[in-house]
Amino acid sequence: MSLPFIPSPEVRATLASMNKASYTGQPFFFALDFELQRGIFISSPLEASIPQVFFDFPSAKTSLPETPSIPIELVAHPEDYPTYERRFKHIQQGLLRGDSFLANLTIRTPIESAASLEQIYLASQARYKVLLPHRFVSFSPECFVTIQADEISTHPMKGTIDATLPHAAERLRSDYKESCEHHTIVDLMRNDLSRVATSVRVARFKYLTELHTVKGSLLQMSSEVRGQIMPAYRHALGDLMRELLPAGSICGAPKGKTLELIQEAEGSPRGYYSGVCGYFDGKDLDSAVLIRYVEEAQDGQLYYRSGGGITINSRAEDEYQECIQKIYIPQ
């Protein structure tokens, strides 16, 4: 498959290190940015006396020294609606031409907060947390792929609703626009897994999880796709990631044209936002999509990254509000 992203020498070196470590059974942590230009590889991260990256996964965690806790409050200054609408219309024009069926459009919002990245990391609650000091913190609910024994699975997440609304679960599952998004991504991820696995199937479809935020609770919709990993990729995890990236849930379908459309509409690189990270314990792999993400610029300014899937049935006003609604710290 031809993609617009050509891995940089740094990323190629990261992928090669992942291949070598997974072949020899050496534990490691990795992160790859969305455009495949930056990569992080850390061998035996749980043994480091001074960790370069802090992470807290279901499978493993590193320890970050406690800092004084403070209430985590964010004041967001999102781009104005006309600016977002111009980006949205560019995506919609691509959809109308048939370049894409679904495209994930994101924004970068300046935020004010008295909290440091370290304090946000410690206060946030999420299945996957990652902190790269002075760079970014991610508190992601979304698994990318897991590998246990010879089975690989992925859990694409598409669809969000205010959990306090009447009949919220039923409304989310039956919403036409959200269902179109979800079906498209599940089909894309099933096709992606088929490049590295056999007997690929949808094990669970449209299951819901509840997320708690300072603004209230949200329901998010996911599905689970599973398969038997091909022997060529079982001990070559760098090659496996190169086949699967970028993650379908945060670009769209079909990938090639959709990625070109996203780059034109967004106008600047995403960096590690919506890239992936993971931990390999010597046998099994657990990885996540880097969403729910705050980054720190060189001048100290904090930015929150958020976005959503755009289909032919989307309304600009709704998508704009969804991007703003997603600016929160899960606590």
Side-chain angles (χ1 to χ4, degrees):
M1 180 174 58
S2 175
L3 296 178
F5 299 153
I6 298 174
S8 69
E10 179 178 321
V11 166
R12 290 199 298 271
T14 300
L15 297 175
S17 295
M18 293 169 63
N19 279 342
K20 182 178 179 180
S22 56
Y23 182 77
T24 59
Q26 178 69 39
F28 64 85
F29 175 89
F30 78 94
L32 296 163
D33 77 344
F34 181 70
E35 290 85 12
L36 296 180
Q37 297 304 296
R38 304 298 303 273
I40 296 170
F41 175 86
I42 301 172
S43 181
S44 301
L46 303 186
E47 299 175 13
S49 57
I50 304 177
Q52 299 168 258
V53 175
F54 298 92
F55 65 96
D56 187 345
F57 284 11
S59 54
K61 65 181 292 185
T62 56
S63 297
L64 174 66
E66 291 288 336
T67 59
S69 61
I70 63 173
I72 307 296
E73 297 181 0
L74 306 181
V75 178
H77 302 282
E79 63 184 38
D80 59 25
Y81 176 69
T83 300
Y84 178 83
E85 188 179 31
R86 285 195 296 272
R87 302 183 197 276
F88 177 89
K89 286 182 176 178
H90 186 82
I91 296 290
Q92 283 265 297
Q93 288 167 3
L95 296 172
L96 289 169
R97 287 194 304 268
D99 294 344
S100 175
F101 306 112
L102 167 67
N104 189 267
L105 178 62
T106 73
I107 62 174
R108 183 174 186 250
T109 300
I111 59 172
E112 297 176 31
S113 178
S116 65
L117 293 184
E118 287 78 7
Q119 288 168 321
I120 292 173
Y121 174 83
L122 290 169
S124 60
Q125 300 294 318
R127 183 174 176 83
Y128 299 96
K129 297 200 299 182
V130 182
L131 168 67
L132 183 59
H134 308 296
R135 294 286 300 280
F136 71 81
V137 59
S138 175
F139 27 90
S140 175
E142 184 169 356
C143 173
F144 181 44
V145 296
T146 60
I147 295 175
Q148 294 183 315
D150 294 324
E151 192 162 58
I152 185 171
S153 64
T154 186
H155 299 254
M157 179 179 285
K158 276 293 175 188
T160 306
I161 194 171
D162 182 343
T164 64
L165 292 175
H167 311 293
E170 180 182 329
R171 289 169 66 171
L172 179 56
R173 286 195 175 101
S174 62
D175 183 276
Y176 180 73
K177 181 262 181 184
E178 298 284 13
S179 290
C180 288
E181 261 191 78
H182 199 85
H183 278 81
T184 299
I185 289 303
V186 169
D187 190 52
L188 172 63
M189 294 310 299
R190 184 169 54 190
N191 289 338
D192 278 359
L193 277 199
S194 293
R195 297 205 303 276
V196 299
T198 59
S199 303
V200 176
R201 65 202 183 278
V202 179
R204 287 188 291 169
F205 188 59
K206 285 188 175 182
Y207 69 87
L208 303 182
T209 53
E210 187 168 354
L211 304 178
H212 301 284
T213 82
V214 294
K215 299 179 181 179
S217 295
L218 300 174
L219 288 180
Q220 289 216 285
M221 185 162 60
S222 302
S223 288
E224 179 182 12
V225 185
R226 306 184 74 88
Q228 297 298 119
I229 192 167
M230 295 177 185
Y233 294 104
R234 182 63 181 92
H235 302 293
L237 296 183
D239 291 346
L240 180 139
M241 285 293 160
R242 182 65 189 99
E243 282 292 328
L244 298 179
L245 292 176
S249 65
I250 42 70
C251 56
K255 275 189 180 179
K257 282 292 186 180
T258 300
L259 289 170
E260 293 175 7
L261 195 60
I262 287 170
Q263 288 181 299
E264 293 164 359
E266 295 184 354
S268 62
R270 292 184 182 181
Y272 280 105
Y273 170 60
S274 70
V276 300
C277 64
Y279 175 69
F280 175 68
D281 67 3
K283 293 182 179 180
D284 299 330
L285 174 73
D286 194 7
S287 65
V289 183
L290 289 166
I291 57 173
R292 307 295 188 270
Y293 180 100
V294 178
E295 64 190 10
E296 182 178 326
Q298 290 185 343
D299 62 2
Q301 173 65 56
L302 298 180
Y303 294 87
Y304 198 111
R305 298 273 195 156
S306 59
I310 311 299
T311 72
I312 200 69
N313 301 297
S314 298
R315 297 176 65 253
E317 298 90 340
D318 295 340
E319 300 299 333
Y320 178 67
Q321 290 302 321
E322 180 177 334
C323 286
I324 296 172
Q325 182 188 43
K326 288 179 176 176
I327 300 174
Y328 70 91
I329 308 296
Q331 296 181 65

